Amino acid sequence: MEKSRPKRPVLAFIIMIALALAIYACSYIQFPNLGILPDYTTWLEQAKDGNILARIMYVLSDWGDPTYQKTALGGLMMIVGCIIALYTGKKSKCTFGVCYGTGLFYRILVAQLATSAISVYLYQGIWDTQEIAFVPTFIAIASFVPAMILKYGGEWKKLLTVIVLGVFLGCPFAYFIYMHFVGPWGLPGAVAWTTPMIVSGFISLELCRWLPWMNKQPSDPEVPAPEKKAVVALGAGNAPVMNGEWFVKRVFADFTEPVFYGNELAGLLFVLGGIISIFLNPSNPGYGNGNVYLVILASQILAAAIGIFLYWHRWFELGWYNTFVPVASLTPAFVLFYGTDLYVVITGAIVGAVFMPPVAEWLGRTICKEHHGYIGSVISMWICCLMFIAIFNFVPGFGC
């Protein structure tokens, strides 16, 4: 028996808007520097010099890069949130299963950690480049590495293959695009990060079709089927109830979608980890500017809330929708391109939330259906960042 579509949770929507505005207001506070964490410049120099702790922190901070929030504490707390959600099971009261209820979280995490760590230590030459403020070692862990494991499974041969492809098709490709196109042409940084996610995603997923050990073998263990609640349309009889609580949880879950976790506890702890980092040293998270970090965070909460509220019916019909896409691309890009004024934050959130999810969903359903739907989401990021940044460059108060 199918459920009737519930009303949009107006009160929960207002609460999340109020939270976003409160976080934005906090961006005007001059937080004291307790010096418990190093400032970003010092951290980067330590990592360049081979400091083990600094590089471990850099690896963990890769979990924040896809949402423009480089924070080691936030990345660590996101991973811990997933582990807690899995360990406590139903007692955690999480609505959204980790990695969509596939049971592949730990294998995905191993591949992500290995890919990031090897890239951090392998590409020493990039650390010495002055033109780039960080090393894009996060590319593969937020795209084709988890996608391949979700598609092909996580047996050791497949895991090693995924890690090798992630190391060689992620960071160096992104660095090349940035140095030769994005930087010289003044393009949004998202172009440098999404281009290898798209191209390397197609290459790696297509290559895996021809590798015999990546295809299903009779001796392979069965890949666990996703939990029903993670894949059924929310209008089905066995689906979770869509209400205000569901809405708030979904906003936080969207923060972990870029790394394929999709869990609200992990998203909440990730956000809290970044905020705590600001109290420990405001020059540590967000590439060295904690106040801008708060503005970006406010814009992302606003974009996620608007998108989920607007496309409530699509969540109900499909069970999942691409409302995270602006959170990881256009909305923070607006802040970095046009400044931290409130009208910039609101405009970037609205434009991203309105236009990007349906584009991503259509691309994933049509052009990318033979590979993995994430490619549709990333293509949407690539197109919309280029298009809307170009348009708003001619709008008074933005580019003019």
Side-chain angles (χ1 to χ4, degrees), residues 33 54 76 78 90 112 120 138 143 177 191 253 310 341 371:
N33 187 349
L76 175 62
M78 181 193 295
K90 293 182 179 179
Q112 290 173 319
V120 165
F138 74 95
S143 55
I177 296 295
V191 174
L310 179 64
D341 292 321
H371 293 86

Side-chain angles (χ1 to χ4, degrees), residues 43 46-47 49-59 120-121:
W43 174 21
Q46 291 173 344
D49 294 338
N51 182 286
I52 298 296
L53 180 58
R55 290 201 168 187
I56 291 174
M57 288 177 61
Y58 198 92
V59 168
V120 165
Y121 281 91

Side-chain angles (χ1 to χ4, degrees), residues 31-330:
F31 294 94
N33 187 349
L34 301 180
I36 297 176
L37 292 176
D39 61 78
Y40 181 72
T41 303
T42 302
W43 174 21
L44 199 62
E45 288 298 325
Q46 291 173 344
K48 287 180 180 180
D49 294 338
N51 182 286
I52 298 296
L53 180 58
R55 290 201 168 187
I56 291 174
M57 288 177 61
Y58 198 92
V59 168
L60 292 172
S61 72
D62 275 353
W63 272 250
D65 277 321
T67 51
Y68 292 66
Q69 299 179 14
K70 194 161 194 67
T71 160
L73 183 58
L76 175 62
M77 290 180 67
M78 181 193 295
I79 295 170
V80 170
C82 289
I83 294 172
I84 292 173
L86 287 171
Y87 181 75
T88 56
K90 293 182 179 179
K91 293 181 180 178
S92 69
K93 298 183 179 179
C94 287
T95 298
F96 306 101
V98 178
C99 295
Y100 318 107
T102 58
L104 292 170
F105 166 71
Y106 289 108
R107 298 180 185 188
I108 289 174
L109 179 62
V110 167
Q112 290 173 319
L113 286 170
T115 301
S116 177
I118 293 170
S119 298
V120 165
Y121 281 91
L122 187 62
Y123 299 115
Q124 180 65 44
I126 299 179
W127 289 100
D128 300 325
T129 304
Q130 300 297 320
E131 292 83 358
I132 190 167
F134 78 116
V135 183
T137 49
F138 74 95
I139 299 298
I141 72 170
S143 55
F144 54 93
V145 162
M148 285 191 288
I149 294 175
L150 288 173
K151 186 175 179 67
Y152 293 105
E155 293 73 47
W156 70 269
K157 286 184 180 180
K158 299 176 181 180
L159 205 62
L160 289 175
T161 303
V162 167
I163 292 169
V164 170
L165 290 172
V167 169
F168 290 103
L169 294 179
C171 178
F173 191 4
Y175 174 73
F176 174 82
I177 296 295
Y178 183 88
M179 295 300 295
H180 294 278
F181 298 97
V182 171
W185 294 359
L187 300 174
V191 174
W193 323 137
T194 55
T195 300
M197 290 181 181
I198 297 166
V199 177
S200 297
F202 275 119
I203 292 173
S204 57
L205 288 165
E206 191 64 31
L207 178 63
C208 287
R209 292 187 180 190
W210 301 95
L211 298 177
W213 63 87
M214 293 299 290
N215 294 307
K216 183 68 178 176
Q217 303 295 323
S219 59
D220 287 346
E222 289 294 326
V223 176
E227 296 175 5
K228 289 184 178 181
K229 68 179 182 181
V231 296
V232 297
L234 293 172
N238 62 339
V241 176
M242 290 179 69
N243 53 22
E245 178 185 344
W246 184 98
F247 180 89
V248 173
K249 287 181 176 181
R250 187 60 247 172
V251 170
F252 286 110
D254 270 3
F255 281 85
T256 68
E257 287 290 349
V259 288
F260 292 68
Y261 297 165
N263 178 260
E264 67 270 33
L265 178 60
L268 175 61
L269 291 183
F270 170 66
V271 171
L272 290 176
I275 293 173
I276 292 171
S277 296
I278 293 174
F279 284 98
L280 300 179
N281 186 344
S283 297
N284 174 269
Y287 311 97
N289 195 324
N291 293 84
V292 174
Y293 167 90
L294 289 174
V295 175
I296 289 175
L297 176 60
S299 71
Q300 290 168 318
I301 292 175
L302 196 61
I306 293 171
I308 296 166
F309 190 80
L310 179 64
Y311 294 108
W312 187 252
H313 63 294
R314 299 299 284 159
W315 272 103
F316 179 79
E317 293 163 358
L318 302 176
W320 189 88
Y321 204 59
N322 310 66
T323 49
F324 80 95
V325 174
V327 172
S329 55
L330 183 65

Side-chain angles (χ1 to χ4, degrees), residues 340-387:
T340 58
D341 292 321
L342 185 58
Y343 74 88
V344 173
V345 170
I346 294 173
T347 303
I350 292 175
V351 171
V354 171
F355 292 102
M356 297 186 75
V359 174
E361 189 273 331
W362 180 81
L363 289 168
R365 177 168 43 85
T366 55
I367 297 175
C368 310
K369 64 179 180 181
E370 297 298 324
H371 293 86
H372 192 282
Y374 96 85
I375 297 179
S377 297
V378 181
I379 294 176
S380 172
M381 297 178 191
W382 192 91
I383 293 172
C384 291
C385 281
L386 276 178
M387 181 175 70

